[in-house]
Amino acid sequence: EAGVTQFPSHSVIEKGQTVTLRCDPISGHDNLYWYRRVMGKEIKFLLHFVKESKQDESGMPNNRFLAERTGGTYSTLKVQPAELEDSGVYFCASRPQFSWENTEAFFGQGTRLTVV
Amino acid sequence: AQSVSQHNHHVILSEAASLELGCNYSYGGTVNLFWYVQYPGQHLQLLLKYFSGDPLVKGIKGFEAEFIKSKFSFNLRKPSVQWSDTAEYFCAVNRRSASKIIFGSGTRLSIRP
């Protein structure tokens, strides 16, 4: 069974440009999460999808970030326009059931974003 | 604010030494608890988890963790570390009433061969 996959693995863009990150969760997983880790700090929650609906987007930093999950399968996270402080590693995770009471999250390898 | 605290940012041990990494959380109520590990160049993977039952949980590679509810703690232990345990370790918590998993800042473990 394929794990959570993220694309690209690395991205270097200039300030002001747009970048789109993609996450393919494990097939059949309703729950999809985006996280970010900046410069060795904590892995910070960004948002949570249940199928195609945003369940919790309380961690999104500002309106330059837009996440979508059309059709409830893969998800994209777009940053437009990118700023220097957006640099970091963006992780995606998925969880197999709507109920989170007895399941863990499975993580992708992350996308390292560098804004210069 | 809700938080997860990992007390040690970087731990350096010799092989065969015992390990204990501290983790405290600030939530009330029922929680799920996790330790994730990230080996160099690899993705985050689950080391062990606690949902209910015996507060002493066993994970992979000889790791274990003890949930002490009164102390809001979930410390990770291993009696004898190996060089291959060199990695970054993250404690994580989610409240049963919420979906998101909250992570600590991570502890980098370096093992001297």
Side-chain angles (χ1 to χ4, degrees):
Chain A
E1 178 183 285
V4 178
T5 56
Q6 293 184 246
F7 181 83
S9 56
H10 294 87
S11 180
V12 181
I13 61 171
E14 293 183 351
K15 176 182 172 180
Q17 289 186 322
T18 298
V19 62
T20 300
L21 314 181
R22 173 171 169 144
C23 169
D24 287 74
I26 294 172
S27 177
H29 282 197
D30 291 338
N31 297 281
L32 187 149
Y33 305 82
W34 282 99
Y35 288 85
R36 178 174 72 174
R37 190 180 192 204
V38 175
M39 284 295 291
K41 296 187 177 178
E42 76 272 19
I43 299 171
K44 187 177 177 185
F45 169 84
L46 296 179
L47 89 160
H48 170 217
F49 284 99
V50 177
K51 297 184 180 179
E52 67 276 5
S53 300
K54 292 176 185 175
Q55 182 79 7
D56 181 350
E57 52 184 328
S58 60
M60 293 289 264
N62 51 60
N63 59 10
R64 294 186 293 102
F65 289 75
L66 175 65
E68 294 179 320
R69 192 182 182 195
T70 307
T73 54
Y74 71 90
S75 174
T76 57
L77 179 64
K78 182 162 72 173
V79 185
Q80 179 182 29
E83 298 289 344
L84 298 178
E85 64 265 25
D86 300 332
S87 296
V89 180
Y90 289 78
F91 293 101
C92 176
S94 70
R95 234 166 167 176
Q97 299 167 4
F98 181 79
S99 169
W100 43 81
E101 291 185 3
N102 58 359
T103 61
E104 70 266 26
F106 296 83
F107 281 79
Q109 81 281 11
T111 294
R112 182 175 297 276
L113 174 65
T114 303
V115 182
V116 297
Chain B
Q2 303 158 357
S3 67
V4 179
S5 299
Q6 291 185 242
H7 313 298
N8 311 101
H9 295 295
H10 189 194
V11 173
I12 303 173
L13 296 173
S14 298
E15 275 195 310
S18 64
L19 169 73
E20 181 159 4
L21 302 182
C23 173
N24 287 88
Y25 62 94
S26 64
Y27 306 103
T30 306
V31 294
N32 294 336
L33 299 156
F34 309 88
W35 276 95
Y36 280 85
V37 60
Q38 187 171 28
Y39 297 102
Q42 297 187 26
H43 62 277
L44 275 165
Q45 55 189 282
L46 184 72
L47 199 56
L48 48 77
K49 61 190 177 187
Y50 172 80
F51 293 135
S52 63
D54 189 344
L56 183 63
V57 292
K58 307 283 187 184
I60 60 171
K61 304 186 180 184
F63 286 91
E64 66 178 30
E66 185 175 13
F67 171 46
I68 303 179
K69 189 174 181 179
S70 61
K71 294 185 178 180
F72 297 88
S73 70
F74 190 56
N75 291 355
L76 180 70
R77 299 194 293 252
K78 185 171 183 178
S80 176
V81 295
Q82 301 172 306
W83 180 80
S84 58
D85 294 325
T86 296
E88 193 157 17
Y89 294 80
F90 296 90
C91 180
V93 178
N94 85 263
R95 294 181 301 164
R96 294 286 182 87
S97 60
S99 60
K100 61 189 177 187
I101 299 174
I102 304 298
F103 283 82
S105 56
T107 297
R108 188 157 62 96
L109 176 63
S110 300
I111 306 297
R112 292 188 291 250

